[in-house]
Amino acid sequence: MKFNWNKDISPKYLFLALSIVCIVLIVVSAFAPDSLKAVRSITGRFIVPLQKGVNNIGEYIDDKLEYFGNIKELKEENEQLKQQISEYQKEINQNQAELTELTELRKLYDLDKLYPDYEKTGARVFSVSGSKWFNEFYINKGLNDGVYENCNVLCDNGLLGIVTESYPDYSKVRGIIDDHSYITGEIGVDGTICTVEGSLQSMENGYIIGIDIDKNANIVQGDRVITSSVSDRYLYGITIGYVIDITNDSNNLTKTVKIAPAVDFTEIKDVSVILERKQEIEH
Protein backbone atom coordinates (compact mmCIF):
# COMPACT_ATOMS: atom_id res chain seq x y z
CA MET A 1 0.00 0.00 0.00
CA LYS A 2 1.40 3.36 -1.08
CA PHE A 3 1.83 6.10 1.52
CA ASN A 4 0.06 9.39 0.69
CA TRP A 5 1.13 12.55 2.59
CA ASN A 6 -2.05 14.44 1.75
CA LYS A 7 -4.35 11.66 3.02
CA ASP A 8 -2.32 9.92 5.74
CA ILE A 9 -0.92 12.99 7.50
CA SER A 10 -3.01 16.05 8.13
CA PRO A 11 -1.27 19.35 7.25
CA LYS A 12 -2.16 20.82 10.62
CA TYR A 13 -0.27 18.01 12.40
CA LEU A 14 2.74 18.58 10.15
CA PHE A 15 2.66 22.29 10.89
CA LEU A 16 2.39 21.55 14.63
CA ALA A 17 5.37 19.23 14.48
CA LEU A 18 7.52 21.76 12.65
CA SER A 19 6.52 24.43 15.15
CA ILE A 20 7.58 22.22 18.07
CA VAL A 21 10.93 21.53 16.38
CA CYS A 22 11.52 25.27 15.89
CA ILE A 23 10.62 26.01 19.52
CA VAL A 24 12.96 23.30 20.73
CA LEU A 25 15.79 24.68 18.58
CA ILE A 26 15.18 28.20 19.90
CA VAL A 27 15.25 27.00 23.50
CA VAL A 28 18.37 24.91 22.97
CA SER A 29 20.05 27.79 21.12
CA ALA A 30 19.27 30.10 24.01
CA PHE A 31 20.36 27.85 26.88
CA ALA A 32 22.88 25.55 25.21
CA PRO A 33 24.30 27.30 22.18
CA ASP A 34 27.33 25.06 21.97
CA SER A 35 25.19 22.03 21.29
CA LEU A 36 24.00 23.57 17.98
CA LYS A 37 27.45 24.27 16.55
CA ALA A 38 27.31 21.13 14.44
CA VAL A 39 23.88 22.03 13.13
CA ARG A 40 24.96 25.59 12.31
CA SER A 41 28.07 24.27 10.61
CA ILE A 42 26.06 21.91 8.43
CA THR A 43 23.37 24.44 7.58
CA GLY A 44 25.97 27.14 7.01
CA ARG A 45 27.56 25.10 4.26
CA PHE A 46 24.32 25.22 2.33
CA ILE A 47 22.61 28.43 3.44
CA VAL A 48 25.57 30.85 3.18
CA PRO A 49 26.37 30.01 -0.49
CA LEU A 50 22.66 30.11 -1.24
CA GLN A 51 22.40 33.49 0.45
CA LYS A 52 25.38 34.82 -1.50
CA GLY A 53 23.85 33.53 -4.72
CA VAL A 54 20.57 35.22 -3.91
CA ASN A 55 22.42 38.46 -3.10
CA ASN A 56 24.37 38.29 -6.37
CA ILE A 57 21.18 37.69 -8.31
CA GLY A 58 19.57 40.63 -6.54
CA GLU A 59 22.50 42.92 -7.31
CA TYR A 60 22.47 41.77 -10.96
CA ILE A 61 18.77 42.49 -11.23
CA ASP A 62 19.25 45.92 -9.61
CA ASP A 63 22.04 46.75 -12.08
CA LYS A 64 19.90 45.68 -15.02
CA LEU A 65 16.92 47.67 -13.77
CA GLU A 66 19.15 50.72 -13.34
CA TYR A 67 20.66 50.15 -16.81
CA PHE A 68 17.27 49.92 -18.49
CA GLY A 69 16.08 52.88 -16.47
CA ASN A 70 19.06 54.90 -17.75
CA ILE A 71 18.29 53.82 -21.33
CA LYS A 72 14.72 55.04 -20.94
CA GLU A 73 15.93 58.36 -19.58
CA LEU A 74 18.44 58.68 -22.41
CA LYS A 75 15.74 57.97 -24.99
CA GLU A 76 13.52 60.64 -23.46
CA GLU A 77 16.42 63.11 -23.41
CA ASN A 78 17.25 62.17 -27.03
CA GLU A 79 13.68 62.91 -28.14
CA GLN A 80 13.78 66.24 -26.31
CA LEU A 81 17.10 67.12 -27.96
CA LYS A 82 15.75 66.16 -31.39
CA GLN A 83 12.79 68.45 -30.85
CA GLN A 84 15.05 71.28 -29.72
CA ILE A 85 17.33 70.78 -32.74
CA SER A 86 14.29 70.85 -35.04
CA GLU A 87 13.13 74.11 -33.46
CA TYR A 88 16.63 75.61 -33.72
CA GLN A 89 16.83 74.54 -37.39
CA LYS A 90 13.53 76.27 -38.10
CA GLU A 91 14.83 79.44 -36.44
CA ILE A 92 18.09 79.23 -38.43
CA ASN A 93 16.20 78.78 -41.70
CA GLN A 94 13.93 81.69 -40.88
CA ASN A 95 16.91 83.88 -39.93
CA GLN A 96 18.71 82.92 -43.14
CA ALA A 97 15.62 83.80 -45.19
CA GLU A 98 15.31 87.14 -43.40
CA LEU A 99 19.03 87.79 -43.88
CA THR A 100 18.76 87.01 -47.61
CA GLU A 101 15.80 89.33 -47.95
CA LEU A 102 17.63 92.04 -46.02
CA THR A 103 20.67 91.65 -48.28
CA GLU A 104 18.47 91.99 -51.38
CA LEU A 105 16.81 95.10 -49.95
CA ARG A 106 20.21 96.61 -49.21
CA LYS A 107 21.27 95.95 -52.80
CA LEU A 108 18.15 97.71 -54.05
CA TYR A 109 18.83 100.58 -51.67
CA ASP A 110 22.41 100.89 -52.92
CA LEU A 111 21.12 100.68 -56.49
CA ASP A 112 18.61 103.43 -55.78
CA LYS A 113 21.45 105.68 -54.64
CA LEU A 114 23.31 105.08 -57.92
CA TYR A 115 20.38 106.49 -59.91
CA PRO A 116 18.70 109.01 -57.61
CA ASP A 117 17.08 111.02 -60.41
CA TYR A 118 14.56 108.30 -61.30
CA GLU A 119 11.46 107.26 -59.37
CA LYS A 120 11.50 103.49 -58.77
CA THR A 121 9.59 100.62 -57.23
CA GLY A 122 10.90 97.30 -55.99
CA ALA A 123 9.59 94.03 -57.43
CA ARG A 124 10.24 90.31 -57.03
CA VAL A 125 10.82 87.73 -59.75
CA PHE A 126 8.26 84.91 -59.57
CA SER A 127 8.73 83.03 -62.87
CA VAL A 128 11.45 82.43 -65.48
CA SER A 129 10.85 81.49 -69.12
CA GLY A 130 12.53 78.09 -69.24
CA SER A 131 16.22 78.98 -69.44
CA LYS A 132 19.17 78.81 -67.09
CA TRP A 133 19.62 82.52 -67.85
CA PHE A 134 17.25 85.22 -66.67
CA ASN A 135 16.76 86.50 -70.22
CA GLU A 136 12.94 86.54 -69.95
CA PHE A 137 11.05 86.47 -66.67
CA TYR A 138 8.04 87.80 -64.78
CA ILE A 139 7.86 90.21 -61.84
CA ASN A 140 5.06 90.77 -59.32
CA LYS A 141 4.38 94.42 -60.20
CA GLY A 142 2.19 95.68 -63.04
CA LEU A 143 -0.20 98.39 -64.20
CA ASN A 144 -1.72 98.79 -60.74
CA ASP A 145 1.76 99.70 -59.45
CA GLY A 146 2.62 102.10 -62.23
CA VAL A 147 4.74 99.59 -64.16
CA TYR A 148 4.15 99.91 -67.90
CA GLU A 149 5.67 98.61 -71.11
CA ASN A 150 9.16 100.01 -71.76
CA CYS A 151 9.92 100.70 -68.08
CA ASN A 152 13.62 100.09 -67.52
CA VAL A 153 14.53 97.41 -64.95
CA LEU A 154 17.65 97.48 -62.76
CA CYS A 155 19.48 94.94 -60.61
CA ASP A 156 22.89 94.60 -58.91
CA ASN A 157 24.89 97.57 -60.25
CA GLY A 158 23.19 98.26 -63.54
CA LEU A 159 20.69 97.58 -66.31
CA LEU A 160 18.84 94.28 -66.19
CA GLY A 161 16.35 94.77 -69.00
CA ILE A 162 13.05 96.34 -70.02
CA VAL A 163 9.36 95.62 -69.47
CA THR A 164 7.87 94.17 -72.67
CA GLU A 165 4.38 93.30 -71.39
CA SER A 166 2.43 94.73 -68.47
CA TYR A 167 -0.73 93.42 -66.82
CA PRO A 168 -2.67 94.62 -63.77
CA ASP A 169 -0.66 92.63 -61.21
CA TYR A 170 2.48 91.45 -63.02
CA SER A 171 4.81 92.21 -65.92
CA LYS A 172 7.14 90.43 -68.32
CA VAL A 173 10.78 91.57 -68.53
CA ARG A 174 13.29 90.97 -71.31
CA GLY A 175 16.90 90.92 -70.16
CA ILE A 176 19.66 92.72 -72.08
CA ILE A 177 21.29 89.34 -72.74
CA ASP A 178 18.29 88.04 -74.69
CA ASP A 179 18.84 87.39 -78.40
CA HIS A 180 16.15 89.97 -79.24
CA SER A 181 17.70 92.74 -77.14
CA TYR A 182 19.35 95.76 -78.80
CA ILE A 183 20.51 98.85 -76.93
CA THR A 184 22.20 102.04 -78.11
CA GLY A 185 25.08 102.54 -75.74
CA GLU A 186 28.09 104.76 -75.06
CA ILE A 187 31.60 103.59 -74.18
CA GLY A 188 34.27 105.30 -72.12
CA VAL A 189 34.90 108.94 -71.28
CA ASP A 190 34.45 110.02 -74.90
CA GLY A 191 30.97 108.52 -75.08
CA THR A 192 31.65 106.47 -78.20
CA ILE A 193 28.36 105.23 -79.67
CA CYS A 194 27.78 101.49 -80.13
CA THR A 195 24.98 98.97 -80.43
CA VAL A 196 24.84 96.40 -77.65
CA GLU A 197 23.43 93.08 -78.80
CA GLY A 198 22.16 90.40 -76.50
CA SER A 199 23.33 86.86 -77.14
CA LEU A 200 22.64 83.77 -75.02
CA GLN A 201 25.35 81.94 -76.95
CA SER A 202 28.05 84.47 -76.07
CA MET A 203 26.74 84.60 -72.47
CA GLU A 204 27.95 81.01 -72.14
CA ASN A 205 31.39 82.65 -72.14
CA GLY A 206 30.30 85.53 -69.91
CA TYR A 207 29.80 88.42 -72.32
CA ILE A 208 27.51 90.21 -74.78
CA ILE A 209 28.61 92.11 -77.91
CA GLY A 210 29.08 95.80 -78.70
CA ILE A 211 29.19 96.49 -82.46
CA ASP A 212 29.30 99.40 -84.97
CA ILE A 213 32.11 101.17 -83.11
CA ASP A 214 34.28 103.61 -85.04
CA LYS A 215 37.72 102.12 -85.62
CA ASN A 216 39.39 105.32 -84.36
CA ALA A 217 37.40 105.40 -81.12
CA ASN A 218 39.49 105.85 -77.99
CA ILE A 219 38.37 102.85 -75.93
CA VAL A 220 40.29 100.47 -73.68
CA GLN A 221 39.56 97.37 -71.63
CA GLY A 222 37.72 98.22 -68.45
CA ASP A 223 35.76 101.12 -69.96
CA ARG A 224 32.21 101.41 -68.68
CA VAL A 225 29.37 100.96 -71.17
CA ILE A 226 26.18 102.94 -70.41
CA THR A 227 22.83 103.55 -72.06
CA SER A 228 23.06 106.39 -74.58
CA SER A 229 21.09 109.62 -74.57
CA VAL A 230 19.95 108.79 -78.11
CA SER A 231 18.49 105.41 -77.14
CA ASP A 232 14.82 105.21 -78.06
CA ARG A 233 13.65 103.16 -75.04
CA TYR A 234 16.39 103.25 -72.40
CA LEU A 235 17.01 106.12 -70.02
CA TYR A 236 20.40 107.76 -70.13
CA GLY A 237 23.42 106.81 -68.04
CA ILE A 238 22.51 103.35 -66.75
CA THR A 239 25.47 100.96 -66.59
CA ILE A 240 25.25 98.08 -69.06
CA GLY A 241 28.63 96.54 -68.33
CA TYR A 242 32.38 96.80 -68.88
CA VAL A 243 34.64 96.23 -71.90
CA ILE A 244 36.72 93.06 -71.55
CA ASP A 245 38.02 92.66 -75.12
CA ILE A 246 38.42 94.77 -78.27
CA THR A 247 38.90 93.54 -81.86
CA ASN A 248 39.12 95.30 -85.21
CA ASP A 249 36.52 94.22 -87.78
CA SER A 250 37.50 92.75 -91.15
CA ASN A 251 36.03 95.80 -92.97
CA ASN A 252 38.75 97.96 -91.37
CA LEU A 253 36.10 100.57 -90.53
CA THR A 254 34.68 99.44 -87.21
CA LYS A 255 35.51 97.67 -83.96
CA THR A 256 33.71 95.06 -81.91
CA VAL A 257 33.93 94.75 -78.14
CA LYS A 258 33.00 92.08 -75.65
CA ILE A 259 31.06 93.43 -72.68
CA ALA A 260 30.75 91.77 -69.28
CA PRO A 261 27.26 92.69 -67.98
CA ALA A 262 26.98 94.55 -64.70
CA VAL A 263 24.22 92.13 -63.63
CA ASP A 264 24.55 88.48 -62.70
CA PHE A 265 21.94 86.82 -64.93
CA THR A 266 22.21 83.40 -63.31
CA GLU A 267 20.22 84.26 -60.19
CA ILE A 268 17.86 87.19 -59.76
CA LYS A 269 15.33 87.58 -56.96
CA ASP A 270 14.55 91.26 -56.49
CA VAL A 271 14.68 94.07 -59.03
CA SER A 272 14.09 97.80 -59.17
CA VAL A 273 11.77 99.18 -61.84
CA ILE A 274 12.14 102.79 -63.01
CA LEU A 275 8.62 104.16 -63.29
CA GLU A 276 9.58 106.92 -65.74
CA ARG A 277 9.74 105.98 -69.40
CA LYS A 278 11.84 107.41 -72.20
CA GLN A 279 8.79 108.24 -74.32
CA GLU A 280 7.24 110.23 -71.51
CA ILE A 281 10.42 112.25 -70.99
CA GLU A 282 10.72 112.98 -74.69
CA HIS A 283 7.11 114.20 -74.84
Side-chain angles (χ1 to χ4, degrees), residues 4-193:
N4 192 323
W5 284 91
N6 294 329
K7 295 181 179 180
D8 298 334
I9 297 179
S10 175
K12 63 181 180 180
Y13 294 122
L14 180 63
F15 175 76
L16 180 61
L18 292 174
S19 298
I20 294 172
V21 171
C22 290
I23 293 172
V24 172
L25 290 175
I26 292 173
V27 172
V28 172
S29 175
F31 296 98
D34 293 338
S35 62
L36 293 179
K37 286 183 179 180
V39 176
R40 285 198 296 267
S41 176
I42 295 172
T43 57
R45 294 178 183 178
F46 298 98
I47 294 176
V48 171
L50 180 61
Q51 184 178 6
K52 288 183 178 179
V54 171
N55 290 338
N56 291 335
I57 293 173
E59 291 176 357
Y60 176 80
I61 293 174
D62 288 339
D63 291 341
K64 290 299 179 182
L65 291 175
E66 183 178 0
Y67 173 76
F68 287 113
N70 291 337
I71 289 180
K72 183 178 180 181
E73 292 178 1
L74 289 174
K75 286 183 177 179
E76 292 175 354
E77 291 179 2
N78 188 37
E79 291 300 324
Q80 293 176 357
L81 290 175
K82 284 182 178 179
Q83 185 175 357
Q84 290 179 358
I85 291 173
S86 178
E87 293 175 356
Y88 290 150
Q89 189 61 50
K90 290 180 181 178
E91 292 180 6
I92 291 173
N93 292 338
Q94 182 178 356
N95 291 335
Q96 287 178 339
E98 292 175 352
L99 180 60
T100 300
E101 184 174 2
L102 178 61
T103 301
E104 295 296 329
L105 291 175
R106 284 179 177 174
K107 287 181 180 179
L108 293 182
Y109 176 73
D110 293 337
L111 185 60
D112 185 65
K113 291 192 296 183
L114 289 176
Y115 306 99
D117 298 332
Y118 301 127
E119 182 183 359
K120 311 175 195 68
T121 184
R124 174 152 290 186
V125 176
F126 69 86
S127 178
V128 182
S129 298
S131 170
K132 75 172 185 178
W133 302 105
F134 280 73
N135 57 302
E136 284 190 333
F137 54 89
Y138 293 87
I139 59 176
N140 64 349
K141 294 288 180 71
L143 297 173
N144 294 338
D145 307 288
V147 177
Y148 296 91
E149 185 178 337
N150 289 330
C151 282
N152 294 187
V153 183
L154 311 177
C155 186
D156 293 341
N157 295 315
L159 183 64
L160 173 60
I162 195 167
V163 175
T164 56
E165 300 175 20
S166 187
Y167 303 92
D169 298 315
Y170 68 95
S171 301
K172 183 177 181 180
V173 178
R174 175 186 294 157
I176 63 171
I177 66 170
D178 188 77
D179 293 332
H180 298 93
S181 177
Y182 299 91
I183 308 168
T184 302
E186 297 181 5
I187 304 176
V189 294
D190 294 338
T192 301
I193 298 296

